[in-house]
Amino acid sequence: MARARTGVRALGAVLAAVLGASLAGCSSTGGKRAEDARKAQAAAGKAAVTTPRWTFAMVTHSGDGDTFWDIVQNGAEQAAVKDNINFLYSHNDEGQQQAQLVQTAIDKKVDGLIVTLAKPDAMKDAIARAEKAGIPVITVNSGSEESEAYGALTHIGQDETIAGEAVGDELDKRGRKKALCVLHEQGNVGHEQRCAGAKKTFGGQLQNLYVDGTNMPDVQASIEAKLQSDRSIDSVVTLGAPFADAAVQARKTAESKAEVDTFDLNAKVAAGLKAGTLGFAVDQQPYLQGYQAVDLLWLYKYNADVLGGGRPVLTGPQIITKTDAAALEEYTERGTR
């Protein structure tokens, strides 16, 4: 009997040791192994699901060379790999041309559509044709106010008015008195909402400056001229990360002391925040917008899930300052923030 109990204790000790080693392995390396496996799977283009290979198209109002939309596209493509989706991307900054691209996607009989509504009037009929064809639509980034009325499942992005109001509050915290809001795309309702929101909460004066965003030397020259003609301007707010650098150069040439702040985040903006050449940035997490749009379309096709309950799914705004930049720099360099 004593031998039996000893044998049981010995077996228990062996099992405990094995179990302990297993748990130790999970706690110390399991998370890393799982992450490495996920990265390898994504790199190999392997899906994490066995659902049909649906085709989703994303059509945005991006102009050529806009790094913000590279980040959105990165997120969408990552989700497409995971969800076994054939992903198509196209863009045009002119409303009518963007609508034509939507029609092209409809003609291809895509299984889902992701669109931006920066110029909603030009897109309304195209969205209606997609819905008539039985194609579910999700709007991202621009068009939160029109999304539901146009029949989209949901909208993913930041509320542009709320984001603008956050900028006005931040300018007040920094003691600014006169700001310049630089709009680089005329007719973009989201841009107008940003500047209007900032004007609403800012205790000082805010002026709009319209520039040609497709011509960066013109953007810089326009900001420079304004800073030279009005030395009381102590803050310049750009509405996209690529334009922040133009504003920094304009400030330098104009010998102005105005702080440059910007909407959106990328590697160059993160570096500028760390160096102190930029004051703050408003991050709306574009990677998340692209990723969630594809993922939510997949969920709708697979399980009839709809997120948001009729309200936009907000991805921002988040005010990023010098103290935050170092923690996010790694992600901006890999193109996910």
Side-chain angles (χ1 to χ4, degrees):
M1 194 67 150
R3 278 199 211 93
R5 282 198 296 269
T6 301
V8 169
R9 282 197 295 270
L11 177 60
V14 170
L15 290 173
V18 171
L19 180 59
S22 175
L23 290 174
C26 287
S27 61
S28 63
T29 62
K32 184 177 186 304
R33 286 174 180 165
E35 175 65 9
D36 289 344
R38 184 194 65 77
K39 289 180 179 178
Q41 184 182 58
K46 294 180 180 179
V49 298
T50 58
T51 46
R53 189 162 175 77
W54 293 308
T55 296
F56 294 166
M58 174 182 277
V59 184
T60 76
H61 65 276
S62 169
D64 293 332
D66 191 333
T67 56
F68 175 90
W69 291 103
D70 293 340
I71 302 172
V72 175
Q73 192 175 350
N74 285 346
E77 289 175 345
Q78 184 70 37
V81 169
K82 176 180 71 71
D83 294 338
N84 193 32
I85 299 300
N86 177 35
F87 179 71
L88 308 176
Y89 180 80
S90 59
H91 65 93
N92 198 295
D93 57 0
E94 294 294 333
Q96 292 300 327
Q97 280 70 25
Q98 186 189 1
Q100 289 175 9
L101 291 173
V102 170
Q103 184 60 54
T104 298
I106 295 171
D107 294 340
K108 290 180 179 178
K109 298 182 174 11
V110 298
D111 300 292
L113 189 59
I114 303 160
V115 301
T116 60
L117 299 178
K119 297 167 183 175
D121 291 343
M123 294 290 290
K124 185 175 183 179
D125 291 343
I127 303 305
R129 289 193 295 272
E131 290 164 359
K132 186 176 180 180
I135 300 172
V137 178
I138 285 179
T139 59
V140 297
N141 183 261
S142 302
S144 60
E145 295 184 0
E146 295 82 9
S147 179
E148 185 178 9
Y150 283 15
L153 297 176
T154 193
H155 178 82
I156 303 169
Q158 70 179 4
D159 184 297
E160 302 293 18
T161 298
I162 292 174
E165 290 172 355
V167 168
D169 289 337
E170 185 67 22
L171 291 173
D172 281 338
K173 288 179 185 178
R174 292 166 175 268
R176 302 298 159 180
K177 301 300 180 185
K178 194 169 187 178
L180 192 66
C181 196
V182 183
L183 298 94
H184 61 266
E185 184 181 341
Q186 293 196 35
N188 186 321
V189 294
H191 290 183
E192 297 287 349
Q193 290 166 350
R194 289 178 182 182
C195 292
K199 189 172 185 178
K200 179 181 177 182
T201 57
F202 183 37
Q205 293 181 312
L206 185 141
Q207 299 177 357
N208 287 357
L209 176 66
Y210 294 89
V211 298
D212 179 5
T214 64
N215 185 340
M216 204 60 78
D218 177 71
V219 173
Q220 181 175 330
S222 298
I223 297 173
E224 181 184 329
K226 192 66 178 177
L227 291 176
Q228 287 176 333
S229 65
D230 189 348
R231 293 291 177 180
S232 64
I233 295 173
D234 57 16
S235 182
V236 177
V237 180
T238 62
L239 302 187
F243 305 96
D245 188 55
V248 169
Q249 296 303 318
R251 175 186 62 192
K252 182 178 179 180
T253 307
E255 298 182 344
S256 168
K257 295 182 179 180
E259 177 180 276
V260 176
D261 309 303
T262 189
F263 279 79
D264 303 332
L265 183 69
N266 62 14
K268 202 162 190 177
V269 169
L273 291 170
K274 279 185 65 177
T277 56
L278 296 176
F280 67 88
V282 185
D283 185 21
Q284 60 175 304
Q285 302 185 97
Y287 180 89
L288 189 59
Q289 291 177 14
Y291 191 98
Q292 286 285 63
V294 170
D295 217 26
L296 291 184
L297 268 183
W298 177 83
L299 283 167
Y300 179 77
K301 293 287 292 183
Y302 172 66
N303 205 43
D305 289 319
V306 178
L307 195 63
R311 292 182 175 272
V313 179
L314 299 183
T315 62
Q318 180 184 6
I319 299 295
I320 306 295
T321 64
K322 183 175 184 176
T323 57
D324 309 306
L328 297 177
E329 193 170 29
E330 173 189 351
Y331 309 128
T332 62
E333 289 176 352
R334 75 181 184 191
T336 57
R337 284 298 290 267

